[in-house]
Amino acid sequence: MRLVHRHSLEEKNKEDSGLIIQQLQQNIENIQCRVDKVCQISHRSIDSVQTICVSKSVDELTTKAVVDLGVTHLAENRTEKFLKKYQALESYPSLTWHFIGNLQRRKVKDVINKIDYFHALDTQRLANEIQKRAETSIKCFVQVNISGEESKQGISPEEVNSFIQDLKKFDKIEVVGLMTMAPIDATVEELKYYFSGMKKLQTQIASKKLTHAPCTELSMGMSRDFEEAIECGSTFIRVGTDFFKK
């Protein structure tokens, strides 16, 4: 009886796993379809937008499943979770890792040489710690609080130029772009206002042709608002919920 029961459990587990994979595949296709559509409407190349899978809400097995389905850009926002995922997926050398959350200075040494992009640079003290710990130049996004919300981190738009200018002394930091998060309750009109403002700011900095800060990229847009972000010029979108919804 136990053998039959175990066999039936194994079959059920396989069936459940198959359904999960099927749902993940459908989610990936839906996201890509939406990206393709807004790129077409906005007269942008599909290749000009990189979708990052934010895997912070799922375990290592589910993260591995999306990687097996072709996802190559992953993001985490907590040091401990990132390190667990990084170790679990060490056999996938083609992965590009993004760290998108607040990075405590005392944990910089644990993370900075394992990631490809850091999306939340917003203080000189953090920049100094990255400079001290990084073994190679790190691609960084300066985080901007475009809406001025007190609950959000990031520097104000008015501070961006001087902040980036001050980063010139750090040869281990390359400012590849700007990053922001729109208010969770923003209307479509408000989203476009904030995202367009970020695009203008990014373009302004890029026009300076700074060696340490080419600033050609924009990291903005999540599951709820990535279409508006792409329409306004985002080049990296950070999608979590829509990858793993059931």
Side-chain angles (χ1 to χ4, degrees):
M1 289 294 291
R2 278 189 303 226
L3 287 175
V4 173
H5 181 59
R6 187 176 68 182
H7 180 71
S8 63
L9 280 176
E10 288 174 353
E11 289 299 318
K12 185 180 186 305
N13 288 337
K14 286 181 181 179
E15 182 179 341
D16 290 345
S17 177
L19 290 172
I20 291 170
I21 297 298
Q22 186 178 358
Q23 182 65 62
L24 289 172
Q25 179 69 58
Q26 183 178 325
N27 291 345
I28 291 169
E29 290 173 0
N30 287 342
I31 292 167
Q32 190 58 55
C33 182
R34 290 167 63 192
V35 171
D36 291 353
K37 184 176 180 180
V38 71
C39 282
Q40 185 177 13
I41 292 170
S42 305
H43 306 290
R44 294 185 58 185
S45 165
I46 295 169
D47 296 333
S48 70
V49 179
Q50 178 60 61
T51 301
I52 305 168
C53 174
V54 180
S55 54
K56 65 180 184 178
S57 65
V58 297
D59 59 17
E60 292 92 324
L61 283 175
T62 307
T63 304
K64 183 177 181 295
V66 295
V67 171
D68 287 336
L69 288 169
V71 169
T72 57
H73 284 251
L74 294 175
E76 291 288 329
N77 70 338
R78 302 284 184 192
T79 302
E80 293 74 16
K81 260 199 148 181
F82 163 71
L83 292 173
K84 285 179 70 175
K85 298 273 181 74
Y86 183 85
Q87 184 176 18
L89 293 165
E90 275 188 312
S91 60
Y92 294 83
S94 61
L95 288 179
T96 299
W97 285 101
H98 302 253
F99 198 88
I100 62 172
N102 176 45
L103 181 58
Q104 295 175 306
R105 283 180 291 122
R106 64 186 176 86
K107 295 184 177 180
V108 167
K109 65 182 185 298
D110 301 321
V111 170
I112 206 64
N113 292 304
K114 295 179 173 67
I115 60 174
D116 299 283
Y117 291 89
F118 176 52
H119 290 244
L121 181 58
D122 63 353
T123 69
Q124 289 289 330
R125 294 175 72 190
L126 180 56
N128 188 63
E129 189 65 24
I130 292 172
Q131 174 70 20
K132 185 163 59 173
R133 302 294 184 177
E135 296 169 2
T136 59
S137 179
I138 305 299
K139 292 181 172 63
C140 295
F141 289 86
V142 169
Q143 183 170 356
V144 181
N145 185 350
I146 191 67
S147 63
E149 290 179 282
E150 291 185 7
S151 60
K152 282 192 167 55
Q153 293 182 304
I155 61 176
S156 71
E158 294 75 25
E159 296 174 305
V160 170
N161 278 288
S162 60
F163 180 79
I164 289 178
Q165 196 63 46
D166 288 343
L167 294 175
K168 186 177 182 179
K169 61 192 175 197
F170 301 119
D171 65 349
K172 296 295 177 60
I173 291 175
E174 180 188 9
V175 180
V176 296
L178 305 179
M179 174 274 215
T180 200
M181 290 183 286
I184 193 169
D185 57 351
T187 64
V188 171
E189 290 75 18
E190 289 170 335
L191 288 172
K192 291 183 179 180
Y193 174 78
Y194 293 131
F195 291 150
S196 295
M198 284 293 294
K199 177 60 181 174
K200 289 177 183 175
L201 194 54
Q202 175 263 315
T203 301
Q204 180 190 49
I205 297 165
S207 69
K208 297 177 183 292
K209 306 291 184 184
L210 301 173
T211 304
H212 74 288
C215 204
T216 55
E217 311 297 336
L218 268 176
S219 171
M220 58 187 194
M222 298 184 284
S223 291
R224 66 178 181 268
D225 56 20
F226 72 75
E227 285 149 316
E228 289 83 5
I230 293 172
E231 187 178 339
C232 294
S234 182
T235 59
F236 285 79
I237 58 172
R238 310 177 307 271
V239 182
T241 303
D242 283 0
F243 265 102
F244 304 108
K245 63 185 180 181
K246 298 177 182 179

